[in-house]
Amino acid sequence: MKGRDLLYNEAQAPWPRTYLFDHPLIQHKLTLIRDKRTSSKEFRELVQEITMLMVYEATRDLPLEETVVETPIAHAHAHILAGKKLAFVPILRAGLGMVAGALQLIPNARVGHVGFYRDPHSLQPVEYYCKLPQDIAERDAFLLDPMLATGGSASAAVALLKEKGARTIRTLHLIAAPEGLHKLLNDHEDISVYVAAVDQRLNEHGYIVPGLGDAGDRLFGTK
Ligand code: PRP
Ligand code: URA
């Protein structure tokens, strides 16, 4: 049943450069992680599964090259990935929950880490860590963070990736608030954004409504 506190996914809102997932598996799993009764263990597993499904779609345009492989029967003309260099970059902490799912699909990708926390009063992002692959300038970056709330953290992380020279940047989020999506897209006109849901709004504390609560705390059981 759809209620007022649920999403308007089906509207396929007209966000530019944004891919809004409507796959039933993703929507189902997303509902489970919204549920406050879901344990940290299940939450982690589901975030991993949803991320894997999102990365599957977000890498749809990876280039292929032709090859020949010998099957037990004959030679087959086939395709392999054209060796494009990728980097997954989680925003600490909550983005860490998305790394395993991404690596399950692309195990040879490098992983960079950027740390931002939201100042609880100003809601402004504060950078506290950055460790990226040395050759980030030769890589296509996938920024991972489950929550796009005000958009401050993701926008600052994209700016950091640009400063470090990442070749292209895509961002993946489980849930976005319209405010955060607007900010991210307005601040950065050269990125693509992948979101599983766009919720209603932010509350007075900068939390997404209805959202799923504090993603970091739910992943790591810290509250
Ligand atoms: C959460 C979340 C995002 C950020 C989103 O992190 O994981 O990084 O808030 O909010 P924004 O769009 O308004 O910037 P948080 O600051 O709570 O840190 P944590 O992941 O360490 O818990
Ligand atoms: N960070 C979260 O983890 N959840 C929100 O709703 C907003 C920011």
Side-chain angles (χ1 to χ4, degrees), residues 91-95 116-119 123-125 128 144-155 173 180 183 202 206-208 214-217 219-220 222:
I91 301 183
L92 305 175
R93 280 177 309 165
F116 287 90
Y117 70 86
R118 275 200 325 180
D119 180 275
L123 299 184
Q124 292 305 303
Y128 63 91
L144 308 175
D145 193 332
M147 308 306 277
L148 184 66
T150 65
S153 305
S155 181
H173 314 278
K183 176 174 174 55
L202 294 177
Y207 277 83
I208 300 174
D214 189 304
D217 283 344
L219 274 166
F220 300 115
T222 41

PDB file of all heavy atoms in Angstrom, residues 91-95 116-119 123-125 128 144-155 173 180 183 202 206-208 214-217 219-220 222, ligand 1:
ATOM      1  N   ILE A  91      32.234   7.503   1.081  1.00  0.00           N
ATOM      2  CA  ILE A  91      32.370   8.574   2.072  1.00  0.00           C
ATOM      3  C   ILE A  91      32.215   7.922   3.440  1.00  0.00           C
ATOM      4  O   ILE A  91      31.196   7.272   3.722  1.00  0.00           O
ATOM      5  CB  ILE A  91      31.288   9.663   1.890  1.00  0.00           C
ATOM      6  CG1 ILE A  91      31.366  10.281   0.487  1.00  0.00           C
ATOM      7  CG2 ILE A  91      31.444  10.747   2.960  1.00  0.00           C
ATOM      8  CD1 ILE A  91      30.363  11.417   0.245  1.00  0.00           C
ATOM      9  N   LEU A  92      33.228   8.074   4.283  1.00  0.00           N
ATOM     10  CA  LEU A  92      33.187   7.511   5.631  1.00  0.00           C
ATOM     11  C   LEU A  92      32.121   8.256   6.445  1.00  0.00           C
ATOM     12  O   LEU A  92      31.980   9.467   6.268  1.00  0.00           O
ATOM     13  CB  LEU A  92      34.547   7.662   6.308  1.00  0.00           C
ATOM     14  CG  LEU A  92      35.755   7.089   5.552  1.00  0.00           C
ATOM     15  CD1 LEU A  92      37.046   7.419   6.299  1.00  0.00           C
ATOM     16  CD2 LEU A  92      35.605   5.603   5.364  1.00  0.00           C
ATOM     17  N   ARG A  93      31.444   7.543   7.279  1.00  0.00           N
ATOM     18  CA  ARG A  93      31.505   6.120   7.493  1.00  0.00           C
ATOM     19  C   ARG A  93      30.543   5.314   6.629  1.00  0.00           C
ATOM     20  O   ARG A  93      30.831   4.217   6.211  1.00  0.00           O
ATOM     21  CB  ARG A  93      31.022   5.810   8.931  1.00  0.00           C
ATOM     22  CG  ARG A  93      31.896   5.986  10.051  1.00  0.00           C
ATOM     23  CD  ARG A  93      31.149   5.677  11.359  1.00  0.00           C
ATOM     24  NE  ARG A  93      29.874   6.362  11.510  1.00  0.00           N
ATOM     25  CZ  ARG A  93      28.946   6.022  12.420  1.00  0.00           C
ATOM     26  NH1 ARG A  93      29.142   4.992  13.214  1.00  0.00           N
ATOM     27  NH2 ARG A  93      27.838   6.700  12.527  1.00  0.00           N
ATOM     28  N   ALA A  94      29.334   5.874   6.454  1.00  0.00           N
ATOM     29  CA  ALA A  94      28.246   5.038   5.941  1.00  0.00           C
ATOM     30  C   ALA A  94      28.537   4.472   4.554  1.00  0.00           C
ATOM     31  O   ALA A  94      28.075   3.378   4.212  1.00  0.00           O
ATOM     32  CB  ALA A  94      26.936   5.813   5.941  1.00  0.00           C
ATOM     33  N   GLY A  95      29.332   5.175   3.756  1.00  0.00           N
ATOM     34  CA  GLY A  95      29.669   4.680   2.425  1.00  0.00           C
ATOM     35  C   GLY A  95      30.404   3.351   2.464  1.00  0.00           C
ATOM     36  O   GLY A  95      30.368   2.576   1.499  1.00  0.00           O
ATOM     37  N   PHE A 116      34.073  12.598   5.599  1.00  0.00           N
ATOM     38  CA  PHE A 116      33.365  13.851   5.899  1.00  0.00           C
ATOM     39  C   PHE A 116      32.358  13.555   7.002  1.00  0.00           C
ATOM     40  O   PHE A 116      31.710  12.512   6.963  1.00  0.00           O
ATOM     41  CB  PHE A 116      32.569  14.360   4.687  1.00  0.00           C
ATOM     42  CG  PHE A 116      33.423  14.934   3.599  1.00  0.00           C
ATOM     43  CD1 PHE A 116      33.898  14.119   2.584  1.00  0.00           C
ATOM     44  CD2 PHE A 116      33.736  16.281   3.581  1.00  0.00           C
ATOM     45  CE1 PHE A 116      34.689  14.637   1.569  1.00  0.00           C
ATOM     46  CE2 PHE A 116      34.520  16.808   2.567  1.00  0.00           C
ATOM     47  CZ  PHE A 116      34.999  15.981   1.557  1.00  0.00           C
ATOM     48  N   TYR A 117      32.254  14.415   7.967  1.00  0.00           N
ATOM     49  CA  TYR A 117      31.106  14.306   8.872  1.00  0.00           C
ATOM     50  C   TYR A 117      30.331  15.615   8.803  1.00  0.00           C
ATOM     51  O   TYR A 117      30.885  16.664   8.451  1.00  0.00           O
ATOM     52  CB  TYR A 117      31.533  13.979  10.314  1.00  0.00           C
ATOM     53  CG  TYR A 117      32.245  15.088  11.039  1.00  0.00           C
ATOM     54  CD1 TYR A 117      31.536  16.072  11.707  1.00  0.00           C
ATOM     55  CD2 TYR A 117      33.632  15.154  11.049  1.00  0.00           C
ATOM     56  CE1 TYR A 117      32.190  17.106  12.364  1.00  0.00           C
ATOM     57  CE2 TYR A 117      34.291  16.177  11.703  1.00  0.00           C
ATOM     58  CZ  TYR A 117      33.565  17.147  12.349  1.00  0.00           C
ATOM     59  OH  TYR A 117      34.212  18.174  12.980  1.00  0.00           O
ATOM     60  N   ARG A 118      29.047  15.505   9.129  1.00  0.00           N
ATOM     61  CA  ARG A 118      28.203  16.693   9.099  1.00  0.00           C
ATOM     62  C   ARG A 118      28.259  17.362  10.450  1.00  0.00           C
ATOM     63  O   ARG A 118      27.977  16.729  11.462  1.00  0.00           O
ATOM     64  CB  ARG A 118      26.742  16.303   8.848  1.00  0.00           C
ATOM     65  CG  ARG A 118      26.401  16.145   7.438  1.00  0.00           C
ATOM     66  CD  ARG A 118      24.929  16.227   7.175  1.00  0.00           C
ATOM     67  NE  ARG A 118      24.035  15.682   8.181  1.00  0.00           N
ATOM     68  CZ  ARG A 118      22.726  15.685   8.069  1.00  0.00           C
ATOM     69  NH1 ARG A 118      22.174  16.216   6.988  1.00  0.00           N
ATOM     70  NH2 ARG A 118      21.952  15.168   8.989  1.00  0.00           N
ATOM     71  N   ASP A 119      28.622  18.639  10.466  1.00  0.00           N
ATOM     72  CA  ASP A 119      28.529  19.361  11.735  1.00  0.00           C
ATOM     73  C   ASP A 119      27.059  19.365  12.155  1.00  0.00           C
ATOM     74  O   ASP A 119      26.192  19.775  11.376  1.00  0.00           O
ATOM     75  CB  ASP A 119      29.040  20.792  11.552  1.00  0.00           C
ATOM     76  CG  ASP A 119      28.942  21.564  12.861  1.00  0.00           C
ATOM     77  OD1 ASP A 119      27.848  22.113  13.136  1.00  0.00           O
ATOM     78  OD2 ASP A 119      29.927  21.593  13.589  1.00  0.00           O
ATOM     79  N   LEU A 123      25.192  21.704   9.850  1.00  0.00           N
ATOM     80  CA  LEU A 123      24.962  20.675   8.812  1.00  0.00           C
ATOM     81  C   LEU A 123      25.969  20.765   7.674  1.00  0.00           C
ATOM     82  O   LEU A 123      25.814  20.135   6.638  1.00  0.00           O
ATOM     83  CB  LEU A 123      23.523  20.737   8.258  1.00  0.00           C
ATOM     84  CG  LEU A 123      22.387  20.513   9.255  1.00  0.00           C
ATOM     85  CD1 LEU A 123      21.033  20.513   8.546  1.00  0.00           C
ATOM     86  CD2 LEU A 123      22.558  19.203  10.018  1.00  0.00           C
ATOM     87  N   GLN A 124      27.015  21.559   7.876  1.00  0.00           N
ATOM     88  CA  GLN A 124      28.046  21.673   6.844  1.00  0.00           C
ATOM     89  C   GLN A 124      29.022  20.491   6.928  1.00  0.00           C
ATOM     90  O   GLN A 124      29.331  20.016   8.026  1.00  0.00           O
ATOM     91  CB  GLN A 124      28.846  22.972   7.013  1.00  0.00           C
ATOM     92  CG  GLN A 124      28.042  24.225   6.727  1.00  0.00           C
ATOM     93  CD  GLN A 124      27.412  24.189   5.349  1.00  0.00           C
ATOM     94  OE1 GLN A 124      28.110  24.033   4.348  1.00  0.00           O
ATOM     95  NE2 GLN A 124      26.094  24.297   5.302  1.00  0.00           N
ATOM     96  N   PRO A 125      29.507  19.999   5.775  1.00  0.00           N
ATOM     97  CA  PRO A 125      30.444  18.877   5.804  1.00  0.00           C
ATOM     98  C   PRO A 125      31.832  19.308   6.281  1.00  0.00           C
ATOM     99  O   PRO A 125      32.307  20.381   5.921  1.00  0.00           O
ATOM    100  CB  PRO A 125      30.506  18.446   4.335  1.00  0.00           C
ATOM    101  CG  PRO A 125      30.146  19.663   3.563  1.00  0.00           C
ATOM    102  CD  PRO A 125      29.203  20.464   4.415  1.00  0.00           C
ATOM    103  N   TYR A 128      37.766  15.107   7.005  1.00  0.00           N
ATOM    104  CA  TYR A 128      38.766  14.657   7.977  1.00  0.00           C
ATOM    105  C   TYR A 128      39.672  13.556   7.451  1.00  0.00           C
ATOM    106  O   TYR A 128      40.592  13.125   8.141  1.00  0.00           O
ATOM    107  CB  TYR A 128      38.103  14.215   9.291  1.00  0.00           C
ATOM    108  CG  TYR A 128      37.174  13.015   9.180  1.00  0.00           C
ATOM    109  CD1 TYR A 128      37.641  11.711   9.360  1.00  0.00           C
ATOM    110  CD2 TYR A 128      35.828  13.180   8.900  1.00  0.00           C
ATOM    111  CE1 TYR A 128      36.792  10.620   9.275  1.00  0.00           C
ATOM    112  CE2 TYR A 128      34.957  12.094   8.806  1.00  0.00           C
ATOM    113  CZ  TYR A 128      35.458  10.818   8.993  1.00  0.00           C
ATOM    114  OH  TYR A 128      34.612   9.743   8.891  1.00  0.00           O
ATOM    115  N   LEU A 144      30.466   6.581  -3.267  1.00  0.00           N
ATOM    116  CA  LEU A 144      29.434   5.784  -2.597  1.00  0.00           C
ATOM    117  C   LEU A 144      29.035   6.435  -1.284  1.00  0.00           C
ATOM    118  O   LEU A 144      29.884   6.670  -0.415  1.00  0.00           O
ATOM    119  CB  LEU A 144      29.968   4.372  -2.309  1.00  0.00           C
ATOM    120  CG  LEU A 144      30.580   3.602  -3.487  1.00  0.00           C
ATOM    121  CD1 LEU A 144      31.163   2.264  -2.996  1.00  0.00           C
ATOM    122  CD2 LEU A 144      29.536   3.359  -4.571  1.00  0.00           C
ATOM    123  N   ASP A 145      27.755   6.719  -1.130  1.00  0.00           N
ATOM    124  CA  ASP A 145      27.227   7.190   0.162  1.00  0.00           C
ATOM    125  C   ASP A 145      25.732   6.913   0.169  1.00  0.00           C
ATOM    126  O   ASP A 145      25.014   7.402  -0.709  1.00  0.00           O
ATOM    127  CB  ASP A 145      27.481   8.693   0.352  1.00  0.00           C
ATOM    128  CG  ASP A 145      27.223   9.125   1.796  1.00  0.00           C
ATOM    129  OD1 ASP A 145      26.404   8.498   2.482  1.00  0.00           O
ATOM    130  OD2 ASP A 145      27.851  10.109   2.235  1.00  0.00           O
ATOM    131  N   PRO A 146      25.253   6.126   1.140  1.00  0.00           N
ATOM    132  CA  PRO A 146      23.836   5.759   1.096  1.00  0.00           C
ATOM    133  C   PRO A 146      22.878   6.938   1.172  1.00  0.00           C
ATOM    134  O   PRO A 146      21.794   6.881   0.625  1.00  0.00           O
ATOM    135  CB  PRO A 146      23.656   4.826   2.301  1.00  0.00           C
ATOM    136  CG  PRO A 146      24.920   4.843   3.066  1.00  0.00           C
ATOM    137  CD  PRO A 146      25.979   5.464   2.219  1.00  0.00           C
ATOM    138  N   MET A 147      23.278   8.015   1.871  1.00  0.00           N
ATOM    139  CA  MET A 147      22.320   9.094   2.117  1.00  0.00           C
ATOM    140  C   MET A 147      22.768  10.403   1.470  1.00  0.00           C
ATOM    141  O   MET A 147      23.879  10.878   1.698  1.00  0.00           O
ATOM    142  CB  MET A 147      22.155   9.328   3.626  1.00  0.00           C
ATOM    143  CG  MET A 147      21.847   8.082   4.425  1.00  0.00           C
ATOM    144  SD  MET A 147      20.418   7.163   3.837  1.00  0.00           S
ATOM    145  CE  MET A 147      19.090   8.049   4.593  1.00  0.00           C
ATOM    146  N   LEU A 148      21.901  10.996   0.666  1.00  0.00           N
ATOM    147  CA  LEU A 148      22.131  12.326   0.103  1.00  0.00           C
ATOM    148  C   LEU A 148      21.085  13.233   0.747  1.00  0.00           C
ATOM    149  O   LEU A 148      19.935  13.248   0.316  1.00  0.00           O
ATOM    150  CB  LEU A 148      21.953  12.266  -1.419  1.00  0.00           C
ATOM    151  CG  LEU A 148      22.248  13.527  -2.218  1.00  0.00           C
ATOM    152  CD1 LEU A 148      23.725  13.880  -2.156  1.00  0.00           C
ATOM    153  CD2 LEU A 148      21.826  13.344  -3.672  1.00  0.00           C
ATOM    154  N   ALA A 149      21.468  13.918   1.789  1.00  0.00           N
ATOM    155  CA  ALA A 149      20.489  14.689   2.567  1.00  0.00           C
ATOM    156  C   ALA A 149      20.500  16.155   2.118  1.00  0.00           C
ATOM    157  O   ALA A 149      19.784  16.517   1.192  1.00  0.00           O
ATOM    158  CB  ALA A 149      20.780  14.515   4.052  1.00  0.00           C
ATOM    159  N   THR A 150      21.339  16.996   2.755  1.00  0.00           N
ATOM    160  CA  THR A 150      21.463  18.376   2.241  1.00  0.00           C
ATOM    161  C   THR A 150      22.285  18.387   0.958  1.00  0.00           C
ATOM    162  O   THR A 150      22.283  19.355   0.210  1.00  0.00           O
ATOM    163  CB  THR A 150      22.179  19.294   3.250  1.00  0.00           C
ATOM    164  OG1 THR A 150      23.541  18.838   3.401  1.00  0.00           O
ATOM    165  CG2 THR A 150      21.497  19.295   4.605  1.00  0.00           C
ATOM    166  N   GLY A 151      23.048  17.309   0.750  1.00  0.00           N
ATOM    167  CA  GLY A 151      23.934  17.243  -0.413  1.00  0.00           C
ATOM    168  C   GLY A 151      25.312  17.808  -0.129  1.00  0.00           C
ATOM    169  O   GLY A 151      26.205  17.731  -0.976  1.00  0.00           O
ATOM    170  N   GLY A 152      25.502  18.362   1.070  1.00  0.00           N
ATOM    171  CA  GLY A 152      26.777  19.005   1.385  1.00  0.00           C
ATOM    172  C   GLY A 152      27.952  18.039   1.320  1.00  0.00           C
ATOM    173  O   GLY A 152      28.986  18.343   0.712  1.00  0.00           O
ATOM    174  N   SER A 153      27.801  16.860   1.945  1.00  0.00           N
ATOM    175  CA  SER A 153      28.925  15.910   1.982  1.00  0.00           C
ATOM    176  C   SER A 153      29.263  15.419   0.579  1.00  0.00           C
ATOM    177  O   SER A 153      30.442  15.398   0.186  1.00  0.00           O
ATOM    178  CB  SER A 153      28.581  14.705   2.869  1.00  0.00           C
ATOM    179  OG  SER A 153      28.207  15.131   4.150  1.00  0.00           O
ATOM    180  N   ALA A 154      28.257  15.003  -0.167  1.00  0.00           N
ATOM    181  CA  ALA A 154      28.518  14.461  -1.505  1.00  0.00           C
ATOM    182  C   ALA A 154      29.104  15.534  -2.417  1.00  0.00           C
ATOM    183  O   ALA A 154      30.047  15.274  -3.176  1.00  0.00           O
ATOM    184  CB  ALA A 154      27.231  13.889  -2.101  1.00  0.00           C
ATOM    185  N   SER A 155      28.578  16.758  -2.322  1.00  0.00           N
ATOM    186  CA  SER A 155      29.079  17.821  -3.188  1.00  0.00           C
ATOM    187  C   SER A 155      30.542  18.126  -2.868  1.00  0.00           C
ATOM    188  O   SER A 155      31.369  18.307  -3.770  1.00  0.00           O
ATOM    189  CB  SER A 155      28.214  19.070  -3.025  1.00  0.00           C
ATOM    190  OG  SER A 155      28.688  20.083  -3.873  1.00  0.00           O
ATOM    191  N   HIS A 173      23.666   6.616  -4.430  1.00  0.00           N
ATOM    192  CA  HIS A 173      23.020   6.821  -3.125  1.00  0.00           C
ATOM    193  C   HIS A 173      21.784   5.944  -3.041  1.00  0.00           C
ATOM    194  O   HIS A 173      21.056   5.799  -4.024  1.00  0.00           O
ATOM    195  CB  HIS A 173      22.590   8.274  -2.949  1.00  0.00           C
ATOM    196  CG  HIS A 173      23.644   9.252  -3.348  1.00  0.00           C
ATOM    197  ND1 HIS A 173      24.683   9.604  -2.518  1.00  0.00           N
ATOM    198  CD2 HIS A 173      23.847   9.918  -4.513  1.00  0.00           C
ATOM    199  CE1 HIS A 173      25.472  10.458  -3.150  1.00  0.00           C
ATOM    200  NE2 HIS A 173      24.989  10.665  -4.362  1.00  0.00           N
ATOM    201  N   GLY A 180      18.989  17.740  -1.503  1.00  0.00           N
ATOM    202  CA  GLY A 180      20.362  17.294  -1.734  1.00  0.00           C
ATOM    203  C   GLY A 180      20.627  17.023  -3.205  1.00  0.00           C
ATOM    204  O   GLY A 180      21.719  17.323  -3.725  1.00  0.00           O
ATOM    205  N   LYS A 183      21.124  20.305  -4.953  1.00  0.00           N
ATOM    206  CA  LYS A 183      22.432  20.908  -4.671  1.00  0.00           C
ATOM    207  C   LYS A 183      23.535  20.201  -5.447  1.00  0.00           C
ATOM    208  O   LYS A 183      24.363  20.837  -6.096  1.00  0.00           O
ATOM    209  CB  LYS A 183      22.726  20.863  -3.166  1.00  0.00           C
ATOM    210  CG  LYS A 183      24.123  21.401  -2.845  1.00  0.00           C
ATOM    211  CD  LYS A 183      24.395  21.510  -1.370  1.00  0.00           C
ATOM    212  CE  LYS A 183      25.848  21.911  -1.103  1.00  0.00           C
ATOM    213  NZ  LYS A 183      26.275  23.151  -1.770  1.00  0.00           N
ATOM    214  N   LEU A 202      13.678  17.064   3.870  1.00  0.00           N
ATOM    215  CA  LEU A 202      14.521  16.991   5.068  1.00  0.00           C
ATOM    216  C   LEU A 202      13.712  17.488   6.261  1.00  0.00           C
ATOM    217  O   LEU A 202      12.873  18.376   6.110  1.00  0.00           O
ATOM    218  CB  LEU A 202      15.735  17.897   4.905  1.00  0.00           C
ATOM    219  CG  LEU A 202      16.744  17.517   3.824  1.00  0.00           C
ATOM    220  CD1 LEU A 202      17.834  18.580   3.758  1.00  0.00           C
ATOM    221  CD2 LEU A 202      17.338  16.151   4.106  1.00  0.00           C
ATOM    222  N   GLY A 206      17.938  17.958   9.489  1.00  0.00           N
ATOM    223  CA  GLY A 206      18.666  17.557   8.282  1.00  0.00           C
ATOM    224  C   GLY A 206      18.569  16.074   7.995  1.00  0.00           C
ATOM    225  O   GLY A 206      19.360  15.544   7.205  1.00  0.00           O
ATOM    226  N   TYR A 207      17.605  15.392   8.590  1.00  0.00           N
ATOM    227  CA  TYR A 207      17.395  13.970   8.287  1.00  0.00           C
ATOM    228  C   TYR A 207      16.338  13.821   7.198  1.00  0.00           C
ATOM    229  O   TYR A 207      15.393  14.624   7.116  1.00  0.00           O
ATOM    230  CB  TYR A 207      16.978  13.179   9.538  1.00  0.00           C
ATOM    231  CG  TYR A 207      18.181  12.783  10.357  1.00  0.00           C
ATOM    232  CD1 TYR A 207      18.757  13.675  11.249  1.00  0.00           C
ATOM    233  CD2 TYR A 207      18.789  11.539  10.181  1.00  0.00           C
ATOM    234  CE1 TYR A 207      19.905  13.341  11.964  1.00  0.00           C
ATOM    235  CE2 TYR A 207      19.935  11.200  10.893  1.00  0.00           C
ATOM    236  CZ  TYR A 207      20.480  12.102  11.782  1.00  0.00           C
ATOM    237  OH  TYR A 207      21.613  11.769  12.465  1.00  0.00           O
ATOM    238  N   ILE A 208      16.529  12.780   6.391  1.00  0.00           N
ATOM    239  CA  ILE A 208      15.613  12.555   5.277  1.00  0.00           C
ATOM    240  C   ILE A 208      14.312  11.949   5.806  1.00  0.00           C
ATOM    241  O   ILE A 208      14.333  11.008   6.599  1.00  0.00           O
ATOM    242  CB  ILE A 208      16.257  11.631   4.220  1.00  0.00           C
ATOM    243  CG1 ILE A 208      17.537  12.267   3.673  1.00  0.00           C
ATOM    244  CG2 ILE A 208      15.278  11.337   3.100  1.00  0.00           C
ATOM    245  CD1 ILE A 208      18.329  11.373   2.728  1.00  0.00           C
ATOM    246  N   ASP A 214      19.671   7.157  10.681  1.00  0.00           N
ATOM    247  CA  ASP A 214      21.106   7.429  10.532  1.00  0.00           C
ATOM    248  C   ASP A 214      21.783   6.185   9.948  1.00  0.00           C
ATOM    249  O   ASP A 214      21.900   5.147  10.616  1.00  0.00           O
ATOM    250  CB  ASP A 214      21.715   7.783  11.890  1.00  0.00           C
ATOM    251  CG  ASP A 214      23.143   8.277  11.743  1.00  0.00           C
ATOM    252  OD1 ASP A 214      23.980   7.539  11.166  1.00  0.00           O
ATOM    253  OD2 ASP A 214      23.428   9.396  12.193  1.00  0.00           O
ATOM    254  N   ALA A 215      22.202   6.289   8.707  1.00  0.00           N
ATOM    255  CA  ALA A 215      22.726   5.109   8.005  1.00  0.00           C
ATOM    256  C   ALA A 215      23.968   4.553   8.693  1.00  0.00           C
ATOM    257  O   ALA A 215      24.112   3.334   8.842  1.00  0.00           O
ATOM    258  CB  ALA A 215      23.030   5.467   6.553  1.00  0.00           C
ATOM    259  N   GLY A 216      24.880   5.442   9.118  1.00  0.00           N
ATOM    260  CA  GLY A 216      26.109   4.977   9.772  1.00  0.00           C
ATOM    261  C   GLY A 216      25.794   4.225  11.055  1.00  0.00           C
ATOM    262  O   GLY A 216      26.327   3.136  11.315  1.00  0.00           O
ATOM    263  N   ASP A 217      24.918   4.784  11.855  1.00  0.00           N
ATOM    264  CA  ASP A 217      24.563   4.128  13.122  1.00  0.00           C
ATOM    265  C   ASP A 217      23.880   2.785  12.869  1.00  0.00           C
ATOM    266  O   ASP A 217      24.130   1.807  13.583  1.00  0.00           O
ATOM    267  CB  ASP A 217      23.630   5.028  13.942  1.00  0.00           C
ATOM    268  CG  ASP A 217      24.382   6.168  14.617  1.00  0.00           C
ATOM    269  OD1 ASP A 217      25.626   6.084  14.693  1.00  0.00           O
ATOM    270  OD2 ASP A 217      23.736   7.133  15.053  1.00  0.00           O
ATOM    271  N   LEU A 219      24.222   0.859  10.239  1.00  0.00           N
ATOM    272  CA  LEU A 219      25.191  -0.112   9.688  1.00  0.00           C
ATOM    273  C   LEU A 219      26.083  -0.681  10.762  1.00  0.00           C
ATOM    274  O   LEU A 219      26.400  -1.877  10.776  1.00  0.00           O
ATOM    275  CB  LEU A 219      26.093   0.597   8.672  1.00  0.00           C
ATOM    276  CG  LEU A 219      25.624   0.716   7.246  1.00  0.00           C
ATOM    277  CD1 LEU A 219      26.488   1.722   6.509  1.00  0.00           C
ATOM    278  CD2 LEU A 219      25.691  -0.648   6.550  1.00  0.00           C
ATOM    279  N   PHE A 220      26.525   0.203  11.668  1.00  0.00           N
ATOM    280  CA  PHE A 220      27.569  -0.207  12.599  1.00  0.00           C
ATOM    281  C   PHE A 220      27.070  -0.389  14.030  1.00  0.00           C
ATOM    282  O   PHE A 220      27.858  -0.639  14.943  1.00  0.00           O
ATOM    283  CB  PHE A 220      28.722   0.802  12.532  1.00  0.00           C
ATOM    284  CG  PHE A 220      29.315   0.888  11.143  1.00  0.00           C
ATOM    285  CD1 PHE A 220      29.218   2.049  10.394  1.00  0.00           C
ATOM    286  CD2 PHE A 220      29.917  -0.223  10.563  1.00  0.00           C
ATOM    287  CE1 PHE A 220      29.737   2.112   9.111  1.00  0.00           C
ATOM    288  CE2 PHE A 220      30.437  -0.155   9.280  1.00  0.00           C
ATOM    289  CZ  PHE A 220      30.343   1.010   8.543  1.00  0.00           C
ATOM    290  N   THR A 222      25.879   1.724  16.200  1.00  0.00           N
ATOM    291  CA  THR A 222      26.429   2.670  17.171  1.00  0.00           C
ATOM    292  C   THR A 222      25.351   3.474  17.894  1.00  0.00           C
ATOM    293  O   THR A 222      25.663   4.360  18.665  1.00  0.00           O
ATOM    294  CB  THR A 222      27.429   3.630  16.487  1.00  0.00           C
ATOM    295  OG1 THR A 222      26.915   4.016  15.214  1.00  0.00           O
ATOM    296  CG2 THR A 222      28.761   2.958  16.325  1.00  0.00           C
TER     297      THR A 222
HETATM  298  C1  PRP B   1      25.739  10.950   6.753  1.00  0.00           C
HETATM  299  C2  PRP B   1      25.682  10.256   5.405  1.00  0.00           C
HETATM  300  C3  PRP B   1      26.251  11.281   4.478  1.00  0.00           C
HETATM  301  C4  PRP B   1      25.784  12.571   5.104  1.00  0.00           C
HETATM  302  C5  PRP B   1      24.631  13.071   4.297  1.00  0.00           C
HETATM  303  O1  PRP B   1      27.008  10.900   7.275  1.00  0.00           O
HETATM  304  O2  PRP B   1      26.356   9.051   5.364  1.00  0.00           O
HETATM  305  O3  PRP B   1      27.659  11.244   4.386  1.00  0.00           O
HETATM  306  O4  PRP B   1      25.353  12.274   6.427  1.00  0.00           O
HETATM  307  O5  PRP B   1      24.257  14.306   4.743  1.00  0.00           O
HETATM  308  P1  PRP B   1      24.396  15.611   3.856  1.00  0.00           P
HETATM  309  O6  PRP B   1      23.912  15.268   2.491  1.00  0.00           O
HETATM  310  O7  PRP B   1      23.508  16.588   4.570  1.00  0.00           O
HETATM  311  O8  PRP B   1      25.814  16.051   3.869  1.00  0.00           O
HETATM  312  P2  PRP B   1      27.328  11.464   8.727  1.00  0.00           P
HETATM  313  O9  PRP B   1      27.782  12.883   8.648  1.00  0.00           O
HETATM  314  O10 PRP B   1      26.173  11.192   9.639  1.00  0.00           O
HETATM  315  O11 PRP B   1      28.592  10.626   9.159  1.00  0.00           O
HETATM  316  P3  PRP B   1      28.718   9.050   9.409  1.00  0.00           P
HETATM  317  O12 PRP B   1      28.536   8.364   8.077  1.00  0.00           O
HETATM  318  O13 PRP B   1      30.101   8.923   9.936  1.00  0.00           O
HETATM  319  O14 PRP B   1      27.676   8.634  10.404  1.00  0.00           O
END
